[in-house]
């Protein structure tokens, strides 16, 4: 088989490799293996950073790592003890595998306290940018056929699902929390998907992005009944005065100094969700007394979130279905940059972050 591989920690090592051994169904014990033919794989900043040599690790015994953690595929074979899938079913694999902490033991490896984690296409486990893979049935999620055109968006959606579910979970402390207004910082893939999920929860959503409207992403945001504000025209404080107070804020810009600005405008009893994986080492000076005072007197919460558990994958499927039914065709518009064929997969890495790119993905095999 072919695969897009990197040599982790070696900058710009991505290449298409041949002679990858075909995965065997009985590699999974207990007859619970599922063989999946890969259809589409999305890429994001994580893949770019792994290819830049910033992080990532190969599986034990390998010198290369197969990239790709945003998978979408079709089942071609199942082990004798698999009841939940049959050939022809569409599936997405959960990214993180269980480790050894108590959180892993209860099905939430996304909260692991282990010192390292096992993630497909990122750390210690091969990813999906190959022809097929075998996974334990317990780590696959069924995608209804009606969602097959947008199934590749599930994994980034789960990151948003987890962050928003955590916000609601935390706010149970308030007994009667009824969030009305939300702010999303960042109008990229994660910001757009956060806007969908928050609109589905009935919130008034203001999205802050850098670019001046109107442009493709601001049109997409307005099509959901949300509003777009360019930070070139209004800072967060002015935006909050006009459209807040914000009960929930979701940070997805990748620009960490904005976190402190967001802290300064979060509403009383509000929750600020941080989702940007910022690999750099930027430092900034902040108005620490004022930020601290606002948090203390306003009973505010800030929470970091990474990865997602099975529950978030399942709520992600439901929200994708709701979004398709409510705004037909909207999700498909996020799939801006298809790259056809594994042999062209290195080109997908170059397309990441180019103007106009929302979701870059490799169409490994055409949808059946
Ligand atoms: C992935 C997450 C993962 C995180 C950290 C993100 O790009 O979507 O599933 O946990 O990177 O590795
Ligand atoms: Zn990702």
């Amino acid at each position: 088989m072919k695969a897009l591989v990197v040599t982790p920690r070696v900058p710009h090592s991505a290449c298409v490799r041949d002679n990858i051994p075909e995965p065997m169904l009985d590699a999974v014990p207990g007859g619970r293996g599922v063989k999946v033919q890969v259809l589409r794989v999305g890429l994001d900043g994580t893949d770019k950073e792994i290819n830049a040599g910033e992080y990532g690790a190969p599986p034990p015994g390998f010198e290369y790592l197969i990239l790709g953690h945003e998978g979408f595929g079709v089942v071609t074979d199942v082990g004798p003890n698999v009841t939940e899938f049959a050939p022809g079913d569409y599936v997405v694999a959960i990214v993180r595998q269980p480790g050894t902490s108590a959180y892993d033991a209860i099905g939430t490896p996304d909260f692991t306290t282990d010192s390292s984690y096992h993630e497909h296409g990122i750390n210690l486990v091969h990813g999906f940018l190959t022809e097929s893979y075998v996974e334990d049935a317990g780590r696959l999620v069924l995608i209804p056929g009606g969602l097959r055109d947008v199934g590749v968006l599930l994994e980034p959606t789960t990151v948003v699902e987890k962050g928003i579910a955590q916000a609601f979970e935390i706010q149970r402390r308030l007994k009667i929390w009824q969030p009305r207004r939300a702010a999303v910082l960042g109008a990229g893939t994660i910001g757009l998907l956060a806007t969908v999920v928050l609109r589905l929860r009935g919130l008034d959503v203001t999205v802050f992005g850098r670019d001046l409207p109107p442009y493709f992403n601001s049109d997409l945001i307005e099509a959901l009944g949300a509003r777009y504000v360019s930070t070139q025209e209004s800072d967060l404080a002015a935006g909050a005065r006009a459209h807040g107070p914000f009960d929930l804020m979701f940070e997805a810009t990748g620009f960490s100094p904005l976190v402190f600005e967001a802290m300064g405008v979060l509403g009383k009893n509000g929750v600020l969700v941080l989702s940007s994986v910022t690999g750099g080492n930027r430092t900034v000076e902040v108005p620490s007394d004022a930020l601290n005072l606002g948090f203390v007197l306003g009973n505010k919460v800030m929470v970091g979130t990474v990865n997602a558990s099975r529950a978030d994958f399942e709520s992600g499927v439901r929200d994708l279905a709701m979004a398709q039914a409510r705004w037909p065709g909207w999700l498909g518009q996020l799939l801006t940059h298809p790259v056809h064929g594994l042999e062209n997969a290195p080109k997908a890495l170059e397309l990441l972050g180019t103007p106009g790119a929302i979701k870059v993905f490799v169409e490994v095999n055409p949808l059946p």
Side-chain angles (χ1 to χ4, degrees):
M1 300 194 309
K2 280 197 287 284
L4 181 70
V5 305
V6 292
T7 307
R9 302 280 173 183
V10 176
H12 309 295
S13 62
C15 64
V16 178
R17 184 179 173 123
D18 223 326
N19 301 320
I20 305 273
E22 181 98 13
M24 305 298 286
L25 204 54
D26 56 14
V28 173
R32 293 279 294 154
V34 176
K35 189 164 180 187
V36 179
Q37 182 192 32
V38 177
L39 297 175
R40 291 175 165 183
V41 181
L43 285 91
D44 70 1
T46 298
D47 301 294
K48 204 183 172 101
E49 286 160 9
I50 293 171
N51 189 39
E54 291 175 26
Y55 51 84
F62 288 82
E63 84 284 6
Y64 65 88
L65 169 74
I66 300 177
L67 265 188
H69 60 279
E70 303 181 4
F72 174 68
V74 61
V75 172
T76 55
D77 201 3
V78 298
N81 291 323
V82 174
T83 53
E84 44 298 50
F85 303 105
D89 284 345
Y90 296 105
V91 289
V92 167
I94 292 171
V95 175
R96 192 176 288 187
Q97 297 192 336
T100 60
S101 80
Y103 302 96
D104 298 275
I106 62 162
T108 55
D110 53 316
F111 282 102
T112 195
T113 51
D114 290 356
S115 51
S116 83
Y117 48 75
H118 291 71
E119 287 183 342
H120 281 289
I122 300 173
N123 220 35
L124 303 167
V125 196
H126 283 315
F128 310 121
L129 273 165
T130 182
E131 293 170 51
S132 63
Y133 64 88
V134 166
E135 179 61 296
D136 192 307
R139 289 198 292 270
L140 290 171
V141 178
L142 185 84
I143 307 299
L147 287 179
R148 64 186 205 147
D149 294 341
V150 296
V152 71
L153 292 172
L154 180 60
E155 197 281 338
T157 304
T158 66
V159 169
V160 164
E161 292 284 338
K162 178 184 172 184
I164 293 172
Q166 282 299 299
F168 276 78
E169 185 72 12
I170 288 165
Q171 296 296 72
R172 281 164 53 184
R173 70 192 172 120
L174 296 167
K175 312 291 190 282
I176 56 151
W177 193 56
Q178 284 173 334
R180 296 282 178 234
R181 276 170 282 272
V184 172
L185 310 185
T189 310
I190 295 293
L192 289 163
L193 292 170
T195 305
V196 173
V197 173
L198 291 166
R199 288 294 298 133
L200 289 173
R201 303 285 182 278
L203 279 86
D204 175 276
V205 183
T206 304
V207 182
F208 292 88
R210 241 183 339 214
D211 294 339
L212 287 169
Y215 78 120
F216 189 55
N217 300 38
S218 70
D219 290 346
L220 284 170
I221 286 159
E222 278 161 19
L224 300 172
R227 86 178 56 73
Y228 178 83
V229 172
S230 166
T231 50
Q232 293 184 45
E233 296 178 318
S234 157
D235 61 8
L236 292 191
R241 278 194 300 278
H243 309 297
F246 298 126
D247 305 306
L248 189 160
M249 297 182 76
F250 195 103
E251 203 295 315
T253 63
F255 182 63
S256 56
L258 211 59
V259 167
F260 302 96
E261 234 185 280
M263 287 175 75
V265 307
L266 182 65
K268 284 192 172 163
N269 292 358
V271 55
L272 168 58
V273 181
L274 309 183
S275 76
S276 296
V277 180
T278 48
N281 46 21
R282 192 177 268 115
T283 58
V284 285
E285 202 171 296
V286 297
S288 53
D289 277 346
L291 292 181
N292 178 68
L293 187 68
F295 258 65
V296 169
L297 298 185
N299 291 290
K300 303 179 193 184
V301 179
M302 177 160 74
V303 60
T305 181
V306 69
N307 197 249
S309 70
R310 167 169 281 279
D312 305 308
F313 276 75
E314 288 174 352
S315 64
V317 172
R318 290 194 295 272
D319 280 342
L320 289 180
M322 285 291 282
Q324 278 286 68
R326 188 162 160 187
W327 301 289
W330 190 94
L331 288 168
Q333 290 186 271
L334 304 188
L335 301 175
T336 53
H337 287 55
V339 170
H340 298 282
L342 263 180
E343 58 284 2
N344 296 315
K347 194 174 160 233
L349 284 166
E350 288 163 31
L351 289 173
L352 288 168
T354 56
I358 299 178
K359 182 43 69 189
V360 176
F361 66 102
V362 179
E363 182 147 87
V364 176
N365 284 293
L367 297 183

